[in-house]
Amino acid sequence: MLIGVPREIKNHEYRVGLTPPAVRELVARGHELLVETGAGEGISASDDAYRAAGARIAASGEEVFGSAQMIVKVKEPQAIERTRLRPGQILFTYLHLAPDPEQVRDLMASGAVCIAYETVTAADGSLPLLAPMSEVAGRMSVQAGAHCLEKAQGGRGVLLSGVPGVEPARVAILGGGVVGSGAALVAAGMGADVTVLDRSPAVLRRLAAQFGPRIKTLYANTDSITAAIHAADLVIGAVLVPGATAPRLITRAMLSGMQPGSVIVDVAIDQGGCCETSRPTTHAEPSYIVDGIVHYCVANMPGAVARTATYALTAATLPFVIALADKGWQAALRADIHLRNGLNVCAGQIACAEVAEALHYPHSPAEQLLRA
């Protein structure tokens, strides 16, 4: 199979779909790789490194999309990239479709086979291709929040760790999954006063066992969330409903009870955000202020640590790329229910139930599409 790796064009996105070692693995299995020139610059991987791994270098993204049978990316295709997709072409990347009706319309119109990293599952029900970036984003969220708390950024002027004689910042984390656990690890490690809220007793028990007295855990309901964010200096939104729009846990009315200059880092922004006043931002302009509260809502946070993020992501995605390339998408999806769960759009139809429900489209299950 001819596999294409375009350069990412989203604002300040420095990751790349495949590393040179991953390219070498695919070439060794008999596949052809076409990599856009400069695609690996953000991870210090030169065109020569890709050539040495066996890839051909394309002069443009248009050439990659026009030639490849499968496109392997990191971020959702931007508008110009969506016009380059064609019927039957495989697109394997993060999509986050539920809050993005324009992207859904374009992907349906393209006729492409669109498989989303974020809905591929594992046997234990986890999301193995989302987890590496969730780990990165969770850790980064505390780093970003600490910076936003600085007075020059519009924050309260609070040091996350405190100092002897001055109490540390209070951090409230909404969601105890991969993002929330990563955020708790870093925040507690920095000495902050950390509270994690979640609706799953099993998650709360896991967090208590993992962190012991270094953090507090609370069952999440409207009252506990309201009290926690009103007391917090930093709030991290770390909730996820796989494939669906994130639940709105923080309303605009709640902001009035928060401390002026406190910070919300909404890691759920890729799925629409868990705060009513959240809107996607970029690394170029990462934050804004609403009702005195600093909002940090960068939709591709791990792109800032591109090398770490790319190598972590490729380690997770490569086995699935190999399966798709070796078997073709139909056989690969028939053979693996977990990869099949990644099918979001195919031949103009919505295969992901959560996306169909969120955007009011008919749902065509992957099994039905494969039979057709």
Side-chain angles (χ1 to χ4, degrees):
M1 181 178 287
L2 176 55
I3 303 166
V5 182
R7 182 172 185 157
E8 298 291 329
I9 61 173
K10 187 165 185 169
N11 179 278
H12 286 266
E13 181 53 71
Y14 303 108
R15 291 171 290 179
V16 62
L18 292 171
T19 61
V23 166
R24 187 172 287 108
E25 291 283 333
L26 288 159
V27 170
R29 300 180 72 91
H31 302 294
E32 296 180 72
L33 273 294
L34 184 63
V35 178
E36 183 179 355
T37 183
E41 285 181 358
I43 65 164
S44 302
S46 67
D47 288 353
D48 285 342
Y50 281 103
R51 287 192 186 94
R56 292 187 288 117
I57 302 300
S60 66
E62 189 172 9
E63 181 183 348
V64 172
F65 277 86
S67 301
Q69 296 165 277
M70 175 164 61
I71 299 293
V72 179
K73 281 176 43 60
V74 178
K75 288 306 291 178
E76 71 279 359
Q78 303 301 289
I80 185 62
E81 294 175 313
R82 298 196 294 267
T83 66
R84 296 169 178 165
L85 292 167
R86 63 181 187 274
Q89 189 174 40
I90 304 166
L91 173 66
F92 194 32
T93 187
Y94 288 118
L95 291 174
H96 300 293
L97 294 179
D100 194 350
E102 183 178 347
Q103 185 190 177
V104 171
R105 286 193 296 269
D106 289 349
L107 294 182
M108 292 175 71
S110 74
V113 178
C114 306
I115 303 170
Y117 293 163
E118 72 272 10
T119 60
V120 172
T121 56
D124 62 0
S126 64
L127 304 171
L129 306 191
L130 188 62
M133 297 304 94
S134 295
E135 289 170 344
V136 171
R139 287 160 168 76
M140 286 187 69
S141 67
V142 179
Q143 182 176 304
H147 180 62
C148 289
L149 277 170
E150 296 173 9
K151 198 66 178 177
Q153 309 305 318
R156 298 191 69 216
V158 173
L159 181 65
L160 206 66
S161 62
V163 294
V166 181
E167 65 182 6
R170 295 179 180 180
V171 179
I173 301 171
L174 308 183
V178 178
V179 172
S181 297
L185 179 69
V186 173
M190 293 177 71
D193 180 346
V194 180
T195 300
V196 183
L197 298 93
D198 199 283
R199 298 187 68 174
S200 167
V203 169
L204 297 176
R205 285 193 292 269
R206 173 180 57 76
L207 291 167
Q210 178 181 355
F211 292 101
R214 291 189 295 154
I215 70 168
K216 297 185 285 290
T217 59
L218 287 175
Y219 181 79
N221 56 38
T222 301
D223 286 351
S224 63
I225 291 170
T226 302
I229 69 171
H230 286 177
D233 299 291
L234 170 60
V235 177
I236 295 172
V239 295
L240 173 71
V241 178
T245 304
R248 291 292 172 86
L249 302 181
I250 303 174
T251 66
R252 181 160 192 168
M254 291 180 181
L255 301 189
S256 64
M258 296 179 68
Q259 303 177 79
S262 56
V263 174
I264 296 172
V265 177
D266 197 343
V267 186
I269 194 64
D270 273 321
Q271 294 294 126
C274 65
C275 178
E276 184 180 357
T277 46
S278 291
R279 56 176 171 79
T281 61
T282 67
H283 288 290
E285 296 182 34
S287 63
Y288 59 93
I289 297 174
V290 176
D291 296 344
I293 309 303
V294 181
H295 292 57
Y296 180 100
C297 305
V298 174
N300 59 328
M301 289 177 65
V305 288
R307 184 173 175 84
T308 297
T310 295
Y311 275 86
L313 178 61
T314 300
T317 60
L318 183 59
F320 295 99
V321 175
I322 288 172
L324 289 165
D326 284 358
K327 301 174 183 178
W329 71 270
Q330 293 103 325
L333 268 58
R334 288 191 185 102
D336 185 350
I337 187 173
H338 302 298
L339 182 57
R340 190 157 72 240
N341 289 336
L343 187 65
N344 275 219
V345 179
C346 179
Q349 299 182 70
I350 303 293
C352 178
E354 292 79 7
V355 172
E357 181 180 359
L359 297 177
H360 310 294
Y361 279 105
H363 174 223
S364 301
E367 294 80 4
Q368 174 184 317
L369 294 171
L370 286 169
R371 286 196 299 270

